[in-house]
Amino acid sequence: MDAQGRGRAEDIDPADQWVLNPRTGEYELRLPPSAPQSRIPAPRSAAPADSPAPDREVPSPRRRRSAPEEPPPGRRGRRRPAQKKSKGKKILLWTGGTMAFVVLAAGTAGYLYLEHLNDNIQSVSDDGASTGGFQKDKAINILLIGTDKRTGAGNEGYGDTGSAGHADTTILLHVAKDRSNATALSIPRDLIVDIPDCPTAQEDGTTKVIPGSTGVRFNNSLGQSGRTPSCTMRTVTELTGVTPDNFMVADFNAVKTLTSAVGGVEVCLAKDINDPDSHLNLPAGKHTIEGEDALAFVRTRHSVGFGGDLSRIEIQQQFLSALMRKLKSNDTLTNPSKMLKLAEAGTKALTVDSKLDDIGKLKDLGLELGKLNTKNLTFATVPVKDNPAEKTPVTVVLQEEPAQQVFDMIRNDVSFTEVKKKESEKEKKEKAAVAARLKGEKSDPSEVRVRILNGGAPDGSAQQELLYLQNEAGVTKSENAGDADAEVAKTTLEYAPDQADQARALAEILGLSGAAMKPGESVTNAQGLPTMTLTLGKDFKEAGAKLNAPSKAPEEAQKSTADKVECAK
């Protein structure tokens, strides 16, 4: 994303132009007496950065408000009258996204002057790589990409000269369907992956398929060979099995401008750091940093941990945790000046996908994310190990078992933290009934009779599972019954009440949860005998693999929660 030409802040601070109307409890635009009351500062593209921004007509408002009475002399400006009790609630509603990443917080603040902020937003096509955009009644997956492309004044010392940029910092943010928890999963830039073929929209309106690459660094999924963020999105889907709903891309300027807009972020160092590469030079202890210092903090790696990219990921996660604590604080949420500066900086610093190119959509997304509590927001890293193919390792590869466990948890919407929820008596009874399906006697595998249907698993899965059950699990009375009538998301086992002991035995072999067991009816097989029905869903991975989602994140994921203060070591 090119940040050049954005220039300095407008001569008139937008925060100075919005004041609280005590009668309505809402903020309204008021300009100095010499300025026409129907105008607002022009967007950044209307004039050079070092010249006063010319006025332009206000876009037609979506809802008109009656003009308030002119305040008495000396009462104009930032001074605000006593607040109504409902004011804080309204501000919290508008700025709910501040509890998630700063980019989303800034979008939420844009509720105050939508059209002006819409002019700031830059977007590129998702090229069909997304789900089509987040939905309020489903789990949300947002791909956050930080590029090392050198753009904007003051960034000459960062990134690769002349480079189109890479996916330098990538985080898959998963928000639970019930909004009770979220996971921010960092993907190492030096992870060896396969980049798929990427259909990519061109400037002339045509689509070009950029060939994929096998066994390359993850960061090559962006910028190289003409790859756009949609290709990074496809690579993440290939790696994790999770298709992101939307993406957001930020360059170096985003960290600098957004931290300055919020008034700085408090970080902690366990030791003195003087890193000439990132330009971070701070003594041990707590510091409030912004601008260049904030960028230096998230870029340092040689002076922390083992000095590699994984150490840099840890310090970035600590920084983001601190940033969200600051954004969630009343000092930010109830400060209109800060929120407006965040809105200006955020919408100028980001590039979003074409399904998220409207401030109203950003506001809706922010409100969904605003329901989170930082104690249930987990930062984790994809479990990796040094590349064994390299004599002196400079890249990493997956630790297959723990990595797949992490991916399974995200795919199955499982929290990385223990979330305590209030349950009704009905919910408690239903939960107990599901758990009870796994309790009781189990038949010997040789007595289990089951037919297998393919309900959305890869072709040939039913036959592969049949061979596993017969040859390795001792379930000899099993058969392949072909394709199911319809595809299903999750694997299920349907059985009659008198087959419960068989169902429990098969559930133990396959790793089925109580929720996957469906008491119902048996069917009659070709021999006229009653048999259970195992329907393999889209969650089926391979024959013999356990089907239940893991309930606990592996230690290799290096997880931490956003509510805890940690010092970089």
Side-chain angles (χ1 to χ4, degrees):
M1 176 176 65
D2 190 354
Q4 291 177 324
R6 287 178 176 162
R8 301 188 302 270
E10 312 291 356
D11 289 342
I12 300 174
D13 187 339
D16 292 333
Q17 299 173 299
W18 292 87
V19 296
L20 181 72
N21 183 338
R23 296 180 302 172
T24 64
E26 297 182 347
Y27 284 88
E28 298 177 350
L29 181 66
R30 297 184 190 172
L31 297 182
S34 60
Q37 292 297 306
S38 61
R39 296 174 182 268
I40 62 173
R44 57 185 169 83
S45 59
D50 56 355
S51 62
D55 291 340
R56 67 177 176 89
E57 293 296 329
V58 178
S60 299
R62 300 189 180 184
R63 181 181 67 175
R64 294 187 178 274
R65 300 188 182 100
S66 59
E69 295 179 3
E70 195 70 6
R75 296 296 295 275
R76 187 185 299 278
R78 293 193 180 185
R79 186 175 178 185
R80 296 186 294 272
Q83 301 173 359
K84 290 186 176 182
K85 185 176 181 180
S86 62
K87 176 199 164 189
K89 293 182 179 179
K90 291 188 177 182
I91 293 175
L92 287 171
L93 175 64
W94 291 339
T95 61
T98 57
M99 296 170 68
F101 291 98
V102 66
V103 297
L104 306 176
T108 304
Y111 181 77
L112 298 177
Y113 54 139
L114 303 180
E115 298 299 333
H116 173 59
L117 295 182
N118 272 329
D119 290 339
N120 291 341
I121 298 173
Q122 298 185 46
S123 66
V124 294
S125 176
D126 72 339
D127 296 315
S130 74
T131 62
F134 79 94
Q135 297 183 43
K136 295 182 179 180
D137 59 346
K138 294 184 178 180
I140 297 174
N141 294 293
I142 305 295
L143 189 63
L144 305 171
I145 308 169
T147 175
D148 60 359
K149 183 178 180 181
R150 249 189 218 179
T151 58
N155 290 324
E156 294 81 4
Y158 307 113
D160 297 329
T161 304
S163 170
H166 303 78
D168 193 54
T169 299
T170 305
I171 295 175
L172 178 61
L173 174 64
H174 172 81
V175 184
K177 180 179 179 179
D178 63 4
R179 309 297 185 252
S180 66
N181 65 90
T183 302
L185 181 66
S186 292
I187 302 174
R189 67 179 186 180
D190 295 328
L191 174 63
I192 296 299
V193 298
D194 293 337
I195 299 176
D197 292 345
C198 297
T200 306
Q202 304 298 299
E203 291 185 1
D204 61 2
T206 62
T207 297
K208 176 183 178 181
V209 177
I210 300 175
S213 301
T214 303
V216 296
R217 279 185 170 96
F218 176 86
N219 66 353
N220 285 299
S221 65
L222 176 67
Q224 310 308 298
S225 303
R227 294 182 178 118
T228 67
S230 67
C231 194
T232 305
M233 185 178 276
R234 293 184 193 278
T235 305
V236 168
T237 301
E238 185 91 358
L239 174 69
T240 67
V242 178
T243 301
D245 301 306
N246 300 97
F247 65 71
M248 294 181 176
V249 185
D251 63 9
F252 291 131
N253 272 348
V255 174
K256 296 195 293 186
T257 59
L258 292 170
T259 52
S260 295
V262 78
V265 174
E266 185 179 87
V267 297
C268 181
L269 298 177
K271 63 181 181 180
D272 298 346
I273 291 183
N274 185 0
D275 185 351
D277 291 321
S278 72
H279 311 301
L280 180 66
N281 187 358
L282 291 173
K286 294 182 178 180
H287 304 274
T288 298
I289 58 174
E290 61 179 274
E292 293 287 346
D293 286 339
L295 179 58
F297 185 87
V298 299
R299 293 189 70 250
T300 191
R301 57 173 175 156
H302 299 300
S303 300
V304 293
F306 295 104
D309 187 52
L310 296 180
S311 298
R312 189 181 66 132
I313 286 176
E314 288 186 33
I315 202 170
Q316 288 174 346
Q317 292 175 346
Q318 292 166 14
F319 175 82
L320 288 171
S321 295
L323 180 57
M324 278 182 280
R325 290 193 298 271
K326 177 64 177 286
L327 289 168
K328 188 176 179 290
S329 69
N330 287 335
D331 179 54
T332 300
L333 287 174
T334 59
N335 189 321
S337 175
K338 284 186 179 180
M339 293 312 303
L340 285 167
K341 288 177 181 177
L342 274 168
E344 290 286 333
T347 52
K348 289 179 181 178
L350 301 167
T351 296
V352 299
D353 69 87
S354 49
K355 300 295 191 299
L356 200 60
D357 62 353
D358 177 82
I359 199 67
K361 295 176 183 177
L362 284 169
K363 185 253 312 178
D364 289 342
L365 178 57
L367 291 174
E368 291 300 307
L369 296 168
K371 299 172 184 177
L372 292 171
N373 188 315
T374 53
K375 71 179 181 180
N376 292 323
L377 170 57
T378 303
F379 284 94
T381 304
V382 174
V384 295
K385 61 183 179 181
D386 287 340
N387 189 348
E390 297 173 340
K391 192 170 185 180
T392 303
V394 294
T395 62
V396 293
V397 296
L398 290 180
Q399 292 189 53
E400 283 294 339
E401 186 173 341
Q404 294 305 324
Q405 185 176 339
V406 168
F407 300 153
D408 283 348
M409 291 180 71
I410 292 178
R411 283 196 297 264
N412 290 283
D413 202 20
V414 177
S415 175
F416 279 50
T417 59
E418 183 179 354
V419 181
K420 295 181 179 180
K421 304 176 185 177
K422 291 184 178 180
E423 296 179 331
S424 65
E425 288 301 319
K426 180 180 179 181
E427 290 173 328
K428 290 179 180 178
K429 290 180 180 179
E430 290 176 349
K431 187 175 180 180
V434 168
R437 295 171 190 169
L438 295 171
K439 298 177 181 179
E441 295 184 2
K442 301 179 182 68
S443 299
D444 187 272
S446 62
E447 298 300 318
V448 173
R449 184 177 289 108
V450 61
R451 64 174 189 149
I452 307 168
L453 296 175
N454 190 330
D459 291 343
S461 294
Q463 183 63 23
Q464 292 170 14
E465 189 75 337
L466 173 67
L467 293 175
Y468 164 75
L469 289 176
Q470 291 185 338
N471 298 329
E472 298 184 45
V475 184
T476 55
K477 297 177 180 179
S478 50
E479 61 185 80
N480 181 354
D483 292 334
D485 293 335
E487 292 188 351
V488 294
K490 296 184 181 298
T491 298
T492 59
L493 175 63
E494 184 175 4
Y495 58 97
D498 60 354
Q499 296 171 315
D501 52 350
Q502 294 184 45
R504 286 189 286 268
L506 189 59
E508 183 176 57
I509 293 170
L510 299 180
L512 291 175
S513 66
M517 300 172 67
K518 305 296 181 183
E521 299 179 353
S522 63
V523 295
T524 302
N525 63 11
Q527 291 74 39
L529 299 173
T531 181
M532 301 184 294
T533 300
L534 176 68
T535 304
L536 304 180
K538 295 179 180 179
D539 60 338
F540 180 84
K541 294 180 284 293
E542 59 182 356
K546 298 296 184 181
L547 290 165
N548 60 322
S551 58
K552 184 178 180 181
E555 291 298 324
E556 293 88 342
Q558 301 177 9
K559 64 187 182 72
S560 62
T561 52
D563 62 319
K564 295 179 180 177
V565 178
E566 297 189 26
C567 296
K569 300 178 181 179

